[in-house]
Amino acid sequence: MEWKKLLCDDRVRNYKSNSSNDFRTEYEKDYHRIIGSASFRRLQDKTQVFPLDNSDFVRTRLTHSLEVSSFAKSLGQNIGKGILSGQKDAGFLPEYQGYICDILQCAGLLHDIGNPPFGHFGETAIRDWFRLNLPQIIYHREDESMQRLSEILLPQMQEDFCHFEGNTQALRLVAKLHYLVDENGMNLTKALLGTIIKYPGSSLEIKKTNHIRHKKMGYFYAERELFDDLQESLGTHGSRHPLAFVLEAADDIAYKTADIEDAVKKGCITYGQLVRELRDFGAKLCEKQKDVFVRMTDKLEQKYERALKRGLRQPESNAVQNWVVFIQGWMINDATAGFLKNYDALMDGSYGTKGADLFTGMDGEAMMDALGDIAYRYAFQETSILKLEIAAQKCLDFLLDAFVQAALYFDTDREVTEVQKKVMALVSDNYITIYRQFADRVDHSGQTAQQKEMEKLYLRLLLVTDHVCGMTDGHAKRLYQELNGIDI
């Protein structure tokens, strides 16, 4: 791969301003499109880890995305400087350093924009619903025959829903669903779209190899042509964009440190418990890893001693907050070193075997593992989160039941109930417009009648997941209560 192509600033609808007064790069224009979008604003009412909290301290998807954006840009600055100063690549021009910073800053804002309500458990709930129901739902076809949905849809179409991913939905959202001018969504640069594709493979390629690119899916069947175009334009050809590794590192730094900080603030884990957990984890490491890990843990106690000397009322909380900032800086440097160390493999697409990321084999790998393990045991198993997940399953199951049944025969000649008509009237006009545009293309595609019927059925199921994923936590909860006649 070469940077000249990886930084492609073309758009699907290729439009560049001829104004002599606009000095922004194409990537800076992307930034303004993102922060002005309703989809980005809705992240303020979506769960990060803890159920939406009265405390202004605990993070939402919006504040998390802002942190990831900041870390990603910092990583871009460090990596760009490292490539230039180390003369690692004659094709990496000085101006590219600024470009990758802008791309990564935007990618950080977008990386969670496709997530459904109720955090990552929302993704699980959607996957579980389709795995259970696709083989059960009977569909009355135009030729009067009856078949299960799993017998009608292509294997990739089925797997798209059974392996549903917020990351995949993010590409669909920004490339199509954010309808302002036409069906090209925000019409962002191809370099940015390539960067947010975390897993460059289809739902049929999951677990095809032990390479990270096949861990999950990266695009829906509906976006296959867009994906192919991006691969060709960027020169990635089935490999991860190198900047996707940087975005992933920024996300890991943000959520693994923030989860600990939020958990302490919420009282899920005390300062003393955190120190003991880190000491116990460090004791199990080999000598090479242990030395750095112990020094990083020592920093936490030093922060605590400093807070005591300053006479702060909450020295434990202050120590953790200060330590988290310190660890974040250390992790940024560690991920930078990981990128530069593995530069050749990242650029030829071979890096990522056995799930390797930028921390693999680096000093910070053990700390990242420790923070993730501690957060899972103390925060993710916290009672309020478990209750949220149970409630989220019930809420999303109900919504998917209602909207899928209403969408099955939407835009067909088959008679539907008045209730089903009312349910479809609740779906966003933007999403309906996008559905109709692509359904019209199917009608004029030259396929057989049965193929057209299948494709449009698939698009209607996507219409449902589009609508549900566009909901905030609060909206999903209110709609569930309203449709069930529950007083709010």
Side-chain angles (χ1 to χ4, degrees), residues 100-290:
I100 67 173
C101 288
D102 291 339
I103 292 169
L104 286 165
Q105 183 180 33
C106 291
L109 298 179
L110 289 177
H111 82 286
D112 274 350
I113 204 166
N115 280 27
F118 309 119
H120 285 299
F121 188 77
E123 295 172 295
T124 302
I126 292 172
R127 289 194 289 265
D128 287 348
W129 190 92
F130 279 103
R131 285 170 182 166
L132 177 65
N133 288 282
L134 278 180
Q136 305 299 324
I137 297 175
I138 303 297
Y139 184 77
H140 296 261
R141 305 202 67 163
E142 292 175 0
D143 62 5
E144 299 304 322
S145 65
M146 293 188 295
Q147 286 182 284
R148 301 179 191 276
L149 292 187
S150 57
E151 297 172 332
I152 300 173
L153 300 175
L154 292 175
Q156 185 177 347
M157 293 175 175
Q158 296 179 54
E159 295 303 311
D160 282 356
F161 297 109
C162 294
H163 291 93
F164 181 86
E165 277 294 319
N167 287 320
T168 308
Q169 184 68 17
L171 176 66
R172 177 168 171 79
L173 174 64
V174 300
K176 286 184 178 177
L177 303 182
H178 190 77
Y179 191 90
L180 283 179
V181 177
D182 56 23
E183 69 279 10
N184 294 307
M186 294 186 190
N187 197 36
L188 303 171
T189 58
K190 293 183 178 181
L192 176 53
L193 294 179
T195 298
I196 66 172
I197 298 175
K198 193 172 183 179
Y199 306 103
S202 75
S203 56
L204 295 178
E205 297 175 271
I206 296 172
K207 297 182 180 178
K208 180 180 178 182
T209 68
N210 65 356
H211 198 284
I212 197 168
R213 72 167 70 101
H214 296 135
K215 183 178 179 181
K216 299 178 182 178
M217 69 171 180
Y219 65 94
F220 291 116
Y221 175 84
E223 278 70 65
R224 62 197 185 281
E225 293 179 359
L226 169 64
F227 178 78
D228 290 342
D229 176 58
L230 291 173
Q231 296 294 292
E232 181 64 31
S233 297
L234 299 169
T236 45
H237 302 299
S239 296
R240 251 192 186 186
H241 194 297
L243 294 185
F245 283 94
V246 183
L247 176 62
E248 180 182 49
D251 187 25
D252 288 345
I253 294 170
Y255 83 78
K256 289 196 175 182
T257 55
D259 288 352
I260 294 295
E261 187 178 6
D262 287 353
V264 171
K265 186 71 175 182
K266 289 278 291 181
C268 301
I269 183 172
T270 66
Y271 162 80
Q273 287 173 321
L274 177 58
V275 172
R276 284 194 297 274
E277 288 285 351
L278 290 170
R279 293 295 183 202
D280 289 345
F281 194 96
K284 301 173 186 176
L285 300 174
C286 65
E287 289 303 317
K288 181 181 178 182
Q289 291 179 309
K290 183 182 296 185

Side-chain angles (χ1 to χ4, degrees), residues 209-476:
T209 68
N210 65 356
H211 198 284
I212 197 168
R213 72 167 70 101
H214 296 135
K215 183 178 179 181
K216 299 178 182 178
M217 69 171 180
Y219 65 94
F220 291 116
Y221 175 84
E223 278 70 65
R224 62 197 185 281
E225 293 179 359
L226 169 64
F227 178 78
D228 290 342
D229 176 58
L230 291 173
Q231 296 294 292
E232 181 64 31
S233 297
L234 299 169
T236 45
H237 302 299
S239 296
R240 251 192 186 186
H241 194 297
L243 294 185
F245 283 94
V246 183
L247 176 62
E248 180 182 49
D251 187 25
D252 288 345
I253 294 170
Y255 83 78
K256 289 196 175 182
T257 55
D259 288 352
I260 294 295
E261 187 178 6
D262 287 353
V264 171
K265 186 71 175 182
K266 289 278 291 181
C268 301
I269 183 172
T270 66
Y271 162 80
Q273 287 173 321
L274 177 58
V275 172
R276 284 194 297 274
E277 288 285 351
L278 290 170
R279 293 295 183 202
D280 289 345
F281 194 96
K284 301 173 186 176
L285 300 174
C286 65
E287 289 303 317
K288 181 181 178 182
Q289 291 179 309
K290 183 182 296 185
D291 180 57
V292 176
F293 192 93
V294 169
R295 283 192 282 113
M296 294 302 105
T297 304
D298 288 344
K299 287 287 185 180
L300 175 56
E301 294 188 303
Q302 292 168 15
K303 301 288 185 185
Y304 176 68
E305 293 298 327
R306 182 183 176 190
L308 285 177
K309 289 178 181 178
R310 292 169 61 193
L312 298 180
R313 288 191 301 172
Q314 295 180 313
E316 296 91 348
S317 179
N318 179 267
V320 173
Q321 287 179 246
N322 271 280
W323 182 72
V324 161
V325 173
F326 168 77
I327 291 296
Q328 289 168 346
W330 175 49
M331 292 296 186
I332 288 173
N333 291 334
D334 202 59
T336 300
F339 188 95
L340 297 175
K341 175 184 176 182
N342 298 290
Y343 185 79
D344 291 340
L346 287 162
M347 293 300 290
D348 67 23
S350 62
Y351 192 72
T353 302
K354 296 182 180 179
D357 57 28
L358 297 188
F359 296 104
T360 301
M362 305 301 292
D363 288 340
E365 182 179 17
M367 182 60 73
M368 295 296 274
D369 290 343
L371 295 179
D373 176 66
I374 294 168
Y376 175 79
R377 288 187 288 110
Y378 283 87
F380 286 80
Q381 299 302 304
E382 202 264 341
T383 302
S384 63
I385 294 178
L386 297 178
K387 289 180 178 178
L388 169 77
E389 292 177 347
I390 295 169
Q393 181 81 53
K394 188 175 182 64
C395 176
L396 290 175
D397 279 353
F398 172 81
L399 294 175
L400 288 168
D401 283 342
F403 282 100
V404 168
Q405 286 298 326
L408 281 179
Y409 303 107
F410 173 73
D411 193 36
T412 71
D413 294 332
R414 186 167 290 277
E415 186 176 351
V416 296
T417 69
E418 288 302 313
V419 170
Q420 289 171 339
K421 291 178 183 178
K422 290 179 171 63
V423 169
M424 290 306 297
L426 299 176
V427 177
S428 163
D429 286 343
N430 280 0
Y431 299 159
I432 293 289
T433 301
I434 289 296
Y435 161 77
R436 291 194 186 282
Q437 287 198 356
F438 286 94
D440 184 63
R441 292 185 186 183
V442 171
D443 283 334
H444 295 87
S445 64
Q447 299 181 85
T448 66
Q450 281 202 333
Q451 288 173 328
K452 291 178 182 179
E453 184 182 24
M454 173 191 67
E455 294 252 0
K456 291 170 72 173
L457 173 59
Y458 169 71
L459 290 176
R460 291 197 295 277
L461 293 176
L462 276 181
L463 175 60
V464 173
T465 53
D466 291 341
H467 181 59
V468 171
C469 286
M471 296 181 187
T472 63
D473 292 17
H475 178 66

